[in-house]
Amino acid sequence: MAAAAAAAARSRRRLLPYFHRLLHSAASPSPNRFLRHASPAPRAADHAPFFRLPAARVSTLPTGLRVVTQAYPAATRMASVGVWVDAGSRFELPGTNGTAHFLEHMAFKGTQRRPTAHALEVEIEDMGARLNAYTSREQTTFFADVQGRDVPAALDVLSDILQHPRFPQQAIQRERGVILREMEEVQGMMEEVIFDHLHTAAFRDHPLGDTILGPKENIQSISKNDLQQYISTHYTCPRTVVSAAGDVDHDEVVDKVKELFTGFSTDPTTADQLVEANPAVFTGSEVRIEDAEMPLAHLAIAFKGSSWTDPRSIPLMVTQSILGSWNRSIGVGNCSGSSLARGISNGELAESLMAFNTNYRDTGLFGIYTTAQPDALHDLSRLIMEEFRRLAFRVSETEVARARNQLKSSLLLHIDGSTAVSENNGRQMLTYGRVMPFLELFARIDAVDCAAIMETAKDFIVDKDVALAAVGPVSNLPELSWFRSQTSSDEKFTEKMFSLGA
């Protein structure tokens, strides 16, 4: 016992100096304690090693339908294959808003060869596959995740449901109820609600301002004829891309598409021509819904953004990264690289923050979505608008470099797996007409410097109209005219204000 006690005492004596050093270093940390193994300034990284994959291959069939494939090595031998169509809610006829989304639902309700939804589901499940679809304002997508050996079978299913749907009346009636329930669920998702209202405010009296699901009265009245007319008008070969990635062979996919996709129209009218005939005009208005019962106010502030092909779309992407995102539950606001996130966190002005940059064929939306306590709305609005103005007059190379790195990392995360690669390639074929290699995209991002950010901010923010969507206890929110006034182009005053704060 005595020996054990003596050994314990010696051990404590040996540990005391260690604890002293530990406590001393914690109490008086070196300014660079956390930068011992890293540079205090962000550095550009070489991402070339991440792209040593087979390049995307593209073939255009005589009908105008395009096929893009990219072999994506994976031990699982899985593949993703889908059909991307240049058609969404913005192309619907007046009074038929909701048809594109309704069609997405009805595509899985049976074909001539697969007469019931049950037959289709059994076939998909027997392959161990996953079949899904989604509709946006400009695109509709149907895709399947399958084992590589089942890619031909997946193409057969996709071609069948898009070219030979039955649209049984009983299924149409049943699906009305399904979509109405989906609408109720969406109404409980405030982010979705806010962005629908924001599109209404930004593009009033234009189909781009309509919701994707459509109004209740349309859901109750959309007919089989509406669905058939939408397919025959918009599901055309020149507006369709078949994209496959993973365990795929390009020539085999092309041959199968030639064999199967023979029922689409070859009408040469493009989505660009339809957009030119009815361009979206940014209206800069507001949708403000007071609901004092809600615990938080939800607010989206947006400027007109860029189209997909606008050269300024890349600087806007970097600007979105500069503004950043933040959530109080994460609790790292004062350590964030975003000055806006730091200001909101230090001032306890909001519960969450998210910058967004949405692109369409001829326009876009760029701005901030935030949630906050009602009594903080005025100070929060001031801080956000000051940050928007700052982007046009004072941006540091450090924050731009950090934003470039964050953007590239985010893009890399979004091509993780065959599903993401197939989706990325299909979407780029519709928006750019080609698949932009990531090395090219990253070179474009690395070319964005402070001057490009400030010039872009002057083009899109200074003296520009503002669209506003606000729901909840928003009585303390400034008027739309106030937000518009905060984009003032008084350059001398703004530069003086920011130099004093530096």
Side-chain angles (χ1 to χ4, degrees):
M1 286 287 283
R10 286 194 300 274
S11 177
R12 283 195 296 272
R13 285 196 296 273
R14 285 196 300 270
L15 287 172
L16 281 174
Y18 167 76
F19 283 130
H20 176 76
R21 290 194 303 273
L22 180 64
L23 291 170
H24 180 73
S25 64
S28 304
S30 162
N32 294 320
R33 189 159 66 92
F34 298 108
L35 299 174
R36 220 173 274 161
H37 307 292
S39 166
R43 295 172 295 182
D46 178 16
H47 290 86
F50 295 103
F51 304 122
R52 289 173 184 158
L53 298 173
R57 295 183 61 188
V58 179
S59 293
T60 302
L61 305 187
T63 59
L65 190 150
R66 289 161 291 173
V67 179
V68 55
T69 68
Q70 186 167 11
Y72 190 91
T76 57
R77 297 293 181 187
M78 294 296 290
S80 298
V81 58
V83 179
W84 272 256
V85 186
D86 234 341
S89 60
R90 81 170 291 174
F91 301 109
E92 293 163 337
L93 294 173
T96 65
N97 175 216
T99 303
H101 177 259
F102 206 119
L103 177 58
E104 172 207 317
H105 279 247
M106 290 303 301
F108 301 107
K109 301 308 173 185
T111 69
Q112 295 173 13
R113 289 167 47 209
R114 299 169 174 90
T116 65
H118 177 72
L120 179 61
E121 289 171 7
V122 168
E123 183 175 352
I124 293 297
E125 290 177 3
D126 285 349
M127 286 191 288
R130 181 174 71 106
L131 188 63
N132 213 333
Y134 62 84
T135 306
S136 69
R137 283 179 166 81
E138 288 191 334
Q139 298 171 8
T140 305
T141 302
F142 301 84
F143 66 94
D145 296 323
V146 297
Q147 297 179 54
R149 67 189 181 196
D150 292 324
V151 166
L155 284 168
D156 182 67
V157 170
L158 290 168
S159 66
D160 194 26
I161 64 175
L162 296 179
Q163 295 178 120
H164 310 293
R166 291 181 60 239
F167 300 142
Q169 193 60 42
Q170 186 178 4
I172 290 176
Q173 288 299 115
R174 186 166 55 249
E175 214 59 27
R176 296 191 203 279
V178 172
I179 296 174
L180 289 172
R181 287 193 296 274
E182 182 181 345
M183 180 182 292
E184 291 176 0
E185 292 175 4
V186 169
Q187 289 301 313
M189 304 162 70
M190 284 309 303
E191 184 175 325
E192 297 286 339
V193 171
I194 282 290
F195 277 96
D196 277 344
H197 288 323
L198 184 64
H199 278 80
T200 299
F203 306 112
R204 283 192 182 275
D205 303 319
H206 187 275
L208 201 57
D210 294 337
T211 65
I212 296 170
L213 269 63
K216 183 177 179 180
E217 56 269 23
N218 284 11
I219 294 170
Q220 293 173 330
S221 64
I222 287 173
S223 66
K224 179 177 180 178
N225 183 61
D226 293 326
L227 300 173
Q228 290 174 328
Q229 184 174 14
Y230 191 88
I231 281 188
S232 62
T233 303
H234 298 292
Y235 282 45
T236 66
C237 287
R239 293 170 63 181
T240 301
V241 170
V242 174
S243 176
D247 185 17
V248 296
D249 178 273
H250 181 77
D251 294 331
E252 290 178 2
V253 173
V254 170
D255 289 343
K256 200 66 181 176
V257 171
K258 283 181 181 177
E259 173 192 337
L260 295 171
F261 286 80
T262 58
F264 282 168
S265 165
T266 56
D267 183 342
T269 304
T270 65
D272 281 335
Q273 289 173 316
L274 295 176
V275 167
E276 288 172 10
N278 186 21
V281 177
F282 186 86
T283 52
S285 61
E286 71 172 352
V287 173
R288 186 183 300 233
I289 301 174
E290 175 69 31
D291 186 348
E293 300 300 316
M294 292 177 61
L296 295 174
H298 295 254
L299 168 67
I301 306 164
F303 297 91
K304 177 186 175 183
S306 72
S307 68
W308 284 105
T309 55
D310 189 325
R312 298 169 297 179
S313 65
I314 304 296
L316 273 180
M317 291 167 67
V318 179
T319 304
Q320 177 191 0
S321 290
I322 291 174
L323 292 169
S325 60
W326 172 80
N327 193 299
R328 182 177 297 281
S329 63
I330 299 174
V332 291
N334 7 346
C335 302
S336 172
S338 162
S339 62
L340 179 58
R342 292 197 302 272
I344 287 175
S345 175
N346 292 332
E348 298 185 351
L349 297 178
E351 301 301 311
S352 67
L353 160 79
M354 180 186 73
F356 58 85
N357 177 41
T358 304
N359 305 104
Y360 295 110
R361 282 194 165 270
D362 55 340
T363 187
L365 287 176
F366 166 78
I368 292 287
Y369 167 62
T370 183
T371 62
Q373 297 289 342
D375 57 357
L377 286 175
H378 192 275
D379 288 342
L380 173 63
S381 300
R382 281 188 58 192
L383 184 63
I384 289 173
M385 297 310 293
E386 284 178 7
E387 181 69 2
F388 277 137
R389 283 200 309 273
R390 181 187 73 86
L391 293 171
F393 300 102
R394 182 170 61 83
V395 180
S396 72
E397 287 291 352
T398 297
E399 64 181 322
V400 174
R402 182 183 295 113
R404 290 195 301 257
N405 287 339
Q406 289 175 340
L407 174 58
K408 289 184 286 186
S409 295
S410 175
L411 290 170
L412 285 174
L413 286 171
H414 281 86
I415 57 162
D416 185 19
S418 60
T419 304
V421 173
S422 174
E423 180 179 18
N424 177 69
N425 292 348
R427 183 177 62 251
Q428 288 203 19
M429 287 298 299
L430 293 184
T431 53
Y432 300 133
R434 67 186 182 100
V435 176
M436 185 186 298
F438 267 79
L439 283 177
E440 176 188 340
L441 176 58
F442 281 19
R444 290 172 178 245
I445 292 170
D446 286 332
V448 177
D449 56 13
C450 287
I453 294 294
M454 291 188 286
E455 188 65 32
T456 301
K458 288 172 183 173
D459 288 344
F460 286 91
I461 295 172
V462 174
D463 274 341
K464 296 299 186 291
D465 283 332
V466 178
L468 188 72
V471 177
V474 294
S475 58
N476 292 332
L477 187 69
E479 296 297 322
L480 178 65
S481 58
W482 178 89
F483 283 95
R484 177 63 180 83
S485 72
Q486 297 303 298
T487 69
S488 167
S489 61
D490 189 344
E491 189 165 338
K492 290 183 179 179
F493 171 77
T494 305
E495 286 181 332
K496 180 181 178 182
M497 179 180 69
F498 283 119
S499 63
L500 289 173

